[in-house]
Amino acid sequence: MSAPHDEPANNQSELHGKRPSLIGRMPGDVTKAVERDERVEAELKAQLGQRLLSEGPTAEISHAVLALVVAVLAWPTVSLPILIVWASAACVATLVRSLARRRLLRTQAPAQMVFGVMRRWAAAQGVVWGVMVLFLARQLPFQDLAIIMVIFAGLVAGATVTFSADRISFHLQMGTLVVPLAIAVVLSGQDRSHLVSLALIVLFVLAMTRLHQNAYDALVGQVRAFKRFEISQEKTARERSYLDALLTSAPNAIVTLDERGRILG
């Protein structure tokens, strides 16, 4: 059994994503600490997977609505059949992602499957948007392209919440959104407005990356601390049950007294 005064140090180290130090512990204590850490990490992964599935509905609705907004915006410039095809592709990608997410949530799929499916559809949605903005780069006036930049900024900002439980999903969607957008800005012109827009895109990516990292670290730290507390509570309950059973089966009567000699139990 680990000494009580080791616990705060272990909590602090795990909140920063590090393994607790095993130096100076007995072999039995080391084994228990490793088993506890493995259990915490397994339950952490499962909790992150469930969090990833529960954050989807708002993002799915926003992707479909914003796709229709972009189609209306580009309608006077781009032929209607092309816009219908693209908007349909965006809505289908969103619908399939929604159905996959609901199925994973309903069947309580393992975390590894959850992460794999959600990462693929995060990238697929980003690719649909990226293809659109590259196609429109030379056809839309810059003021309309600036509106699309705002829409993309909203999609990336939303992804910091939707994918707060998975860094890879976030980076996949942000990358497939932002890289084509930056290329589209360069293709549409190279004057001062375009260069400033490109610089703003870079700054925005850095800010969103940092914001998502902070949110992810806070979430992981919170879940780890809660799981460690649960394990500690379970351990205390087992020890209490064992002590109660030991006292109940004792052949002699046992009395608990306070400092004044009064009977407590």
Side-chain angles (χ1 to χ4, degrees), residues 155-178:
L155 292 175
V156 174
T160 61
V161 177
T162 305
F163 301 119
S164 61
D166 185 31
R167 287 175 293 187
I168 295 178
S169 295
F170 170 73
H171 288 297
L172 282 172
Q173 186 156 104
M174 183 176 68
T176 52
L177 285 169
V178 172

Side-chain angles (χ1 to χ4, degrees), residues 45 48 52 112 114-124 159 162-176 209 212-213 216:
K45 195 170 184 179
L48 292 180
L52 188 61
Q112 193 65 32
V114 170
F115 287 121
V117 171
M118 296 304 290
R119 287 167 183 173
R120 286 194 292 271
W121 284 108
T162 305
F163 301 119
S164 61
D166 185 31
R167 287 175 293 187
I168 295 178
S169 295
F170 170 73
H171 288 297
L172 282 172
Q173 186 156 104
M174 183 176 68
T176 52
T209 300
H212 180 270
Q213 184 65 47
Y216 177 82

Side-chain angles (χ1 to χ4, degrees), residues 184-253:
V185 171
V186 173
L187 292 177
S188 65
Q190 287 82 39
D191 59 17
R192 186 178 63 178
S193 298
H194 292 82
L195 295 178
V196 170
S197 299
L198 193 61
L200 289 176
I201 291 174
V202 173
L203 292 175
F204 180 75
V205 168
L206 294 176
M208 290 298 101
T209 300
R210 183 62 179 174
L211 179 64
H212 180 270
Q213 184 65 47
N214 290 341
Y216 177 82
D217 290 342
L219 177 61
V220 169
Q222 182 181 9
V223 174
R224 276 200 178 115
F226 180 74
K227 290 302 175 183
R228 285 178 59 84
F229 176 75
E230 275 191 343
I231 293 173
S232 176
Q233 290 291 93
E234 291 174 4
K235 180 180 176 182
T236 301
R238 286 196 304 268
E239 292 177 349
R240 185 182 299 277
S241 298
Y242 174 76
L243 181 59
D244 290 342
L246 183 64
L247 293 177
T248 302
S249 62
N252 299 318

Side-chain angles (χ1 to χ4, degrees), residues 88-158:
S88 300
C91 291
V92 167
T94 300
L95 177 61
V96 174
R97 170 187 157 180
S98 177
L99 294 175
R101 181 186 62 80
R102 292 173 185 274
R103 181 175 180 275
L104 292 171
L105 193 59
R106 184 178 62 254
T107 58
Q108 297 183 345
Q112 193 65 32
M113 180 183 295
V114 170
F115 287 121
V117 171
M118 296 304 290
R119 287 167 183 173
R120 286 194 292 271
W121 284 108
Q125 282 186 303
V127 168
V128 171
W129 283 93
V131 169
M132 179 275 300
V133 77
L134 286 175
F135 178 78
L136 298 179
R138 293 185 179 276
Q139 301 188 49
L140 289 179
F142 183 70
Q143 59 267 26
D144 290 346
L145 186 60
I147 296 175
I148 293 178
M149 288 176 57
V150 174
I151 292 174
F152 272 53
L155 292 175
V156 174

